[in-house]
Amino acid sequence: MEHSKFVEEVKSQLESEHEDLPVGRNGRDDNDLILWFLRDRKFLVQATVLKLAKALEWRRDFGVDKITDVSISRMAATGKAYLHTSPDVEGRPVVIVVAAKHFPVEEELVESEQLCIYLIEKALSQLPPGGDKMLGIFYLRGFKSRNGDLKFMKFLIDVFFNYYPKRMGQVLFVDAPYIFQPGWNMVRPWLKSYANLVRFCSVAEVREQYFTPATVPVDFM
């Protein structure tokens, strides 16, 4: 009840100042979405309006609601990123990236971006009651310099900072080779406090600490 006043204030401002933005689910009148951004902005109404308006404009311009199974099918077929069929032991939806299957020189950046957003949206749609965060796993075994992609990493960081704030509960870097370290040293400052979400770990630790024997992703068996 105490939050409804803030939600209505944000909704009213968005309606008067950004009436061109879409309405409905994930729109400017979506109470749950507004409340999430209010929490991210510590219930500062004006800051929430600014950040949420930017996010809604991005959703519209990027065409988030137009991305379908068919439109991302070619990228999905590479197996370089997918939503695991089971949540982790905390009930979080799990998106897995297999870095050795990502070849930025051979692929269109926008297609990788669309696959990324598709998987985030799908993961969030599978949140359990009371759940609000997902788990991201980057499987780095076999990672080579040709798999590195700073442009995509900048896109990913921007997405989680601005459009899906605080939706990532933890990020696992699994079996990271030595060659991965220079790239991580470049990316880490961009993450600021979000770098604390990152954990370097082994395949065994993923199996034993994040899944049950029946729910371990096939890549980690």
Side-chain angles (χ1 to χ4, degrees):
M1 178 65 73
E2 70 270 18
H3 297 153
S4 61
K5 176 178 179 291
F6 295 104
V7 170
E8 290 304 319
E9 286 183 26
V10 171
K11 190 185 299 185
S12 178
Q13 281 201 43
L14 287 171
E15 182 179 5
S16 62
E17 299 171 10
H18 302 278
E19 62 178 357
D20 60 316
L21 292 175
V23 296
R25 185 175 179 275
N26 290 318
R28 60 175 168 81
D29 60 348
D30 184 329
N31 288 357
D32 291 338
L33 184 65
I34 292 172
L35 182 57
W36 185 262
F37 274 77
L38 274 166
R39 287 177 174 142
D40 174 65
R41 296 292 88 190
K42 300 180 175 15
F43 287 90
L44 298 173
V45 170
Q46 193 56 44
T48 301
V49 169
L50 289 172
K51 186 165 186 175
L52 183 50
K54 180 181 177 182
L56 293 174
E57 288 169 357
W58 170 81
R59 289 185 66 90
R60 179 190 61 198
D61 296 343
F62 192 82
V64 172
D65 296 328
K66 296 179 181 178
I67 301 174
T68 66
D69 293 357
V70 173
S71 66
I72 55 88
S73 60
R74 192 178 79 85
M75 280 292 100
T78 66
K80 68 178 182 177
Y82 59 93
L83 178 65
H84 184 40
T85 53
S86 300
D88 74 346
V89 292
E90 294 185 20
R92 298 176 296 193
V94 181
V95 173
I96 298 173
V97 176
V98 183
K101 294 182 179 180
H102 179 61
F103 301 101
V105 173
E106 303 171 13
E107 300 163 353
E108 292 290 337
L109 178 60
V110 67
E111 289 188 90
S112 294
E113 293 174 344
Q114 288 173 344
L115 176 61
C116 169
I117 298 306
Y118 172 84
L119 293 174
I120 293 172
E121 288 282 315
K122 193 170 182 180
L124 295 179
S125 74
Q126 295 185 10
L127 288 171
D132 53 26
K133 299 182 188 300
M134 54 190 285
L135 173 67
I137 302 180
F138 287 79
Y139 186 34
L140 297 168
R141 181 178 293 177
F143 175 88
K144 306 292 184 183
S145 58
R146 63 181 180 176
N147 306 123
D149 192 348
L150 288 179
K151 287 184 179 179
F152 180 75
M153 288 304 299
K154 286 182 178 179
F155 168 81
L156 191 60
I157 292 167
D158 184 53
V159 158
F160 277 106
F161 263 108
N162 296 307
Y163 312 134
Y164 300 95
K166 295 183 174 63
R167 288 299 193 183
M168 185 63 76
Q170 190 174 22
V171 176
L172 306 180
F173 286 162
V174 183
D175 280 7
Y178 180 76
I179 195 174
F180 178 75
Q181 196 62 44
W184 169 239
N185 291 338
M186 290 182 63
V187 170
R188 183 170 183 167
W190 303 345
L191 294 173
K192 301 178 183 177
S193 63
Y194 281 73
N196 295 328
L197 297 178
V198 174
R199 177 190 177 190
F200 285 80
C201 61
S202 66
V203 165
E205 288 171 315
V206 171
R207 281 199 307 263
E208 296 164 9
Q209 299 175 23
Y210 292 88
F211 298 95
T212 67
T215 64
V216 175
V218 65
D219 283 304
F220 305 124
M221 289 181 176

